[in-house]
Amino acid sequence: RKEVEQDPGPFNVPEGATVAFNCTYSNSASQSFFWYRQDCRKEPKLLMSVYSSGNEDGRFTAQLNRASQYISLLIRDSKLSDSATYLCVVSGGSSGGYQKVTFGIGTKLQVIP
Amino acid sequence: ETGVTQTPRHLVMGMTNKKSLKCEQHLGHNAMYWYKQSAKKPLELMFVYNFKEQTENNSVPSRFSPECPNSSHLFLHLHTLQPEDSALYLCASNPLTNRQQQFFGPGTRLTVL
């Protein structure tokens, strides 16, 4: 089983649609969770951290379910500029003095006019 | 601008060449990382340095040799690479806080002929 598993997509959605991505992780000792966004041929950038209570940032909502070991990202009212790859990132399980960080393969989103 | 710079941005080299990738972070962080991103694969952690000390070598072939002269600079020395080493090489840093957010540089796109 992959440490962090994501559907690579692509997800093709019309402008204004709501789209949800899920991510599962295998290490129950994981402590921190993030969604990163990566535009084509660019570096990943932090989109938002994911907290146990769930958190929202504008049109973006992230949820964490520790019991089922999955994380979700909901994007409402999709914009063309949301087109990118969304990386699920999990950290935890100390290794050599730092927390191990594992990336999912990313889910590609294409918002269509 | 993320505060993490990488040079060169693009590199084409033959299998017998020796080259070096450079990363510099202006964020005062204590940890620096090298990642490899190949097509259709998740980011692969290669090396981790905490306070200039290497704390992780993720079974990386010896043709990749990292160097961290101080906590702001990180190098990846390359020699006798293979075509399958062609990828985007990303440098990242973080302050070693609990949340472990990674700040990425723009990457070096490497092509090995």
Side-chain angles (χ1 to χ4, degrees):
Chain A
R1 183 183 173 186
K2 293 178 185 173
E3 290 187 70
V4 178
E5 197 142 6
Q6 289 183 260
D7 181 343
F11 284 55
N12 297 312
V13 303
E15 261 186 298
T18 295
V19 61
F21 307 137
N22 289 328
C23 163
T24 58
Y25 60 95
S26 60
N27 184 356
S28 59
S30 299
Q31 298 170 11
S32 302
F33 309 89
F34 308 88
W35 284 102
Y36 279 72
R37 170 189 170 133
Q38 185 171 23
D39 291 293
C40 188
R41 306 186 78 80
K42 297 283 185 71
E43 74 273 21
K45 293 185 179 178
L46 180 68
L47 177 66
M48 58 197 303
S49 300
V50 187
Y51 302 104
S52 296
S53 54
N55 48 300
E56 189 173 308
D57 183 1
R59 298 181 293 108
F60 299 83
T61 301
Q63 297 273 358
L64 167 64
N65 184 320
R66 284 189 185 272
S68 302
Q69 293 182 208
Y70 81 77
I71 308 143
S72 65
L73 177 68
L74 183 77
I75 305 175
R76 290 180 298 278
D77 188 24
S78 300
K79 311 289 185 193
L80 295 176
S81 57
D82 294 333
S83 299
T85 297
Y86 292 83
L87 305 172
C88 174
V89 182
V90 173
S91 77
S94 185
S95 171
Y98 82 104
Q99 288 193 336
K100 183 181 176 184
V101 179
T102 306
F103 286 77
I105 195 169
T107 298
K108 186 172 182 179
L109 171 66
Q110 185 69 48
V111 181
I112 303 163
Chain B
E1 183 57 51
T2 64
V4 181
T5 58
Q6 287 187 246
T7 54
R9 296 292 306 276
H10 300 272
L11 178 62
V12 179
M13 60 187 288
M15 289 191 284
T16 57
N17 292 160
K18 287 186 180 181
K19 297 285 184 184
S20 295
L21 310 185
K22 180 182 176 182
C23 174
E24 186 173 356
Q25 58 98 359
H26 314 275
L27 301 169
H29 291 166
N30 299 315
M32 296 186 76
Y33 308 75
W34 278 117
Y35 287 90
K36 175 184 178 182
Q37 188 174 36
S38 305
K40 302 190 187 303
K41 287 187 176 181
L43 265 74
E44 300 171 55
L45 180 65
M46 300 175 72
F47 301 103
V48 182
Y49 278 82
N50 287 344
F51 297 97
K52 303 186 299 177
E53 298 296 322
Q54 187 181 127
T55 56
E56 186 88 6
N57 176 338
N58 222 18
S59 302
V60 180
S62 59
R63 58 186 184 268
F64 295 91
S65 174
E67 178 190 359
C68 188
N70 55 63
S71 55
S72 298
H73 293 86
L74 186 64
F75 295 90
L76 188 62
H77 303 300
L78 317 171
H79 64 99
T80 59
L81 294 192
Q82 304 297 310
E84 60 264 30
D85 296 322
S86 299
L88 179 67
Y89 289 84
L90 290 159
C91 173
S93 70
N94 74 2
L96 286 179
T97 61
N98 288 337
R99 294 303 297 175
Q100 291 290 311
Q101 177 189 343
Q102 305 261 306
F103 294 79
F104 285 88
T108 295
R109 187 156 297 279
L110 174 68
T111 302
V112 182
L113 301 177

